[in-house]
Amino acid sequence: VLSHNLYTVLCIPHDPVALEEHFRDDDDGPVSSQGYMPYLNKYILDKVEEGAFVKENFDELCWTLTAKKNYKPDRNGNSVVSHQDAFKLWCLFNFLSEDKYPLVMVPDEVEYLLKKICTAMNVELNCCELDDYLSQEPQGQEELTVWQFLDMVNSGRFLQGIEQEAISMAVEEVYQEVIEDVLKQARSPHVLGHEPCPAPNPVLISISRVQGYLWKRGQLRRNWSERWFMLKPSVLSYYMSEERKEKKGSIALDKHCCVEVLPDRDGKRCMFCVKTSSRTYEMSASDTRQRQEWMLAIQTAIRLQAEGKKSLHKDLKQKRREQREQRDQRKAAKEEEMQRLKQLQEEKERKLQELELLKEAQRQAEILLQEEEQRRRQQHEEMQRTLEIQLQEAEQARASMQAEMVLKEAEAERQRKRILELEAMQERLQEALQQEVKARQDEEAVRYAQARLLAEEEEKLKQLMKLKEEQEEYIIKTQREKQVLKQEMENKNKYLEEAQKQLEEVRVNRQRVDQDVMAAQRKLRQASTNVKHWNVQMNRLMHPIGPGDKRTNVSGGVFAGYQPLLSQRDSSLK
């Protein structure tokens, strides 16, 4: 039964003969996990193709096989999560667990998952409570199995006072984000009746929420319609409503796509567009923050496509694992460093004892040195007093020389300032002269330009008068042509009325002719009746009268003479 169900959900052709052949030599007792694994690997798992089966169906089968024996909810129906939510938590646990058997989740991943669920409900996780719970586990067993994790959630220590419906909605949101790789949603800040959290980091928004309503502009009719959008790493799908029963379309995302802000128009604001290689999709958000969140999320999806990553959370999980490994390495290095420091401390204490012995000998030597040092200090103080007197005399001489230098430098500075003022005055005079020359040149140029403009103005005035005369002549000519056309229209209307009258006469004549034709047809039918009557009479007269040869010949000759006359009569009647 297990193999049959695995064949079904993994979309592999059933092979019951292989099962019988594999277990032919071991058909007496129950099969252990170790005995079933070779068959599972060879005949089932090796035949699985990527993307050929529905992952959710496979998860449901595994959950059905394991939950009945291991999952123990409250029998009175007071469990914090429903059976379906427990299945989704089981899927999330499998995704975030370590890559080893049996599957376990480290405390960091447990805290990460609980924080995401609490964030979806706009509540804050009590990390101290989580640390206390994990500390109650046996020493060295801080990692949790999936059943321990579900028991911890159902204990109510972390989700106390929250309705089951709110927990179910939060678990569904995290499940869609992590398992189904949906990247963007729009939520009300007062969802589930809790107060809104502080404004989150925009980068975290783009990867933590999955779907929402946006206004989209059509391609053909160019009208605006509200659609429910769902963002995944490779596609942005939109539906008629949030139930996702009627899919209206999808936008394939690749590394060539881009997102741009559009100016407000057509009564829509907070607009942006998604440009693909084949089309540009225009959309409108409810406010600027929602537009920024959607743009960041779509850019994240495009970046994932450019980097060749199929799942964002697999990448994040790998990064968290690398961070934990680096942290463990730092912790091991720190412990090693502490051990080394402890050894150094012992070595230091041993050397300190040796140093105490040396200090005692050093104190004896220092007493002798102090006496010698005192004698040398007295000699040094006498020498220092002599040098200080000489130094004071040298300082006085130096001060007098510096005063003289300051006076000379002040005089030189005054001379330099006077020279600079004269040079500046000469430059200003030269500039004034150049400006005057330039002003005269500009005045002459302006006069010449003014004369030229006056001449051009006179010429244009003449052209304007000429154009005005031509325009008046054209207006008179147009009025004349208009009168001629009006007269022609009146004549054509008269001709049309006469033609209509003639048409009426033709119709009357046609009716009269039709009546004559009908009368002629009646006469023709009457004549045809008469012809048939005369033919009957003539046929009677054509029979010979006997007996006797002569009378016969005479009769034949007489009727033979009538025959051409009859033929001529028939021709004339026809």
Side-chain angles (χ1 to χ4, degrees), residues 153-195:
V153 174
N154 278 324
S155 66
R157 296 180 62 177
F158 308 102
L159 303 175
Q160 189 173 4
I162 302 176
E163 297 179 358
Q164 188 176 16
E165 182 181 359
I167 298 173
S168 179
M169 292 173 63
V171 171
E172 173 65 20
E173 181 178 330
V174 177
Y175 178 81
Q176 288 184 355
E177 175 191 345
V178 177
I179 304 301
E180 297 183 359
D181 279 328
V182 185
L183 291 183
K184 181 75 187 73
Q185 80 168 348
R187 290 189 305 164
S188 170
H190 297 280
V191 68
L192 305 179
H194 295 283
E195 292 298 323

Side-chain angles (χ1 to χ4, degrees), residues 9 53-63 84 87-88 90-91 172 175 179-180:
V9 297
F53 64 95
V54 181
K55 178 68 164 54
E56 186 175 354
N57 295 339
F58 180 74
D59 290 339
E60 288 180 355
L61 173 62
C62 296
W63 168 255
Q84 184 65 22
F87 162 68
K88 293 175 182 178
W90 178 83
C91 295
E172 173 65 20
Y175 178 81
I179 304 301
E180 297 183 359

Side-chain angles (χ1 to χ4, degrees), residues 116-260:
K116 290 194 72 65
I117 295 173
C118 292
T119 302
M121 297 184 293
N122 287 338
V123 297
E124 186 176 357
L125 176 65
N126 190 348
C127 297
C128 297
E129 187 75 19
L130 178 62
D131 294 337
D132 293 342
Y133 184 90
L134 295 176
S135 63
Q136 295 175 4
E137 296 295 325
Q139 186 67 22
Q141 295 184 2
E142 293 184 354
E143 299 174 342
L144 296 180
T145 64
V146 63
W147 314 116
Q148 292 174 338
F149 174 73
L150 291 176
D151 292 341
M152 180 186 70
V153 174
N154 278 324
S155 66
R157 296 180 62 177
F158 308 102
L159 303 175
Q160 189 173 4
I162 302 176
E163 297 179 358
Q164 188 176 16
E165 182 181 359
I167 298 173
S168 179
M169 292 173 63
V171 171
E172 173 65 20
E173 181 178 330
V174 177
Y175 178 81
Q176 288 184 355
E177 175 191 345
V178 177
I179 304 301
E180 297 183 359
D181 279 328
V182 185
L183 291 183
K184 181 75 187 73
Q185 80 168 348
R187 290 189 305 164
S188 170
H190 297 280
V191 68
L192 305 179
H194 295 283
E195 292 298 323
C197 291
N201 191 323
V203 177
L204 296 178
I205 289 175
S206 65
I207 61 174
S208 65
R209 300 177 181 175
V210 288
Q211 51 199 347
Y213 280 108
L214 289 174
W215 287 90
K216 174 186 169 295
R217 191 171 190 177
Q219 183 180 12
L220 300 178
R221 297 176 61 185
R222 307 302 292 170
N223 60 332
W224 289 92
S225 303
E226 191 175 27
R227 297 287 182 256
W228 179 265
F229 280 80
M230 173 180 286
L231 176 62
K232 292 188 177 182
S234 61
V235 64
L236 176 61
S237 305
Y238 50 94
Y239 302 82
M240 181 64 73
S241 63
E242 57 186 307
E243 285 79 12
R244 294 184 291 172
K245 294 181 180 179
E246 183 179 355
K247 185 176 182 180
K248 302 301 290 184
S250 60
I251 304 172
L253 301 177
D254 54 30
K255 62 182 180 180
H256 303 293
C257 298
C258 66
V259 187
E260 296 180 359

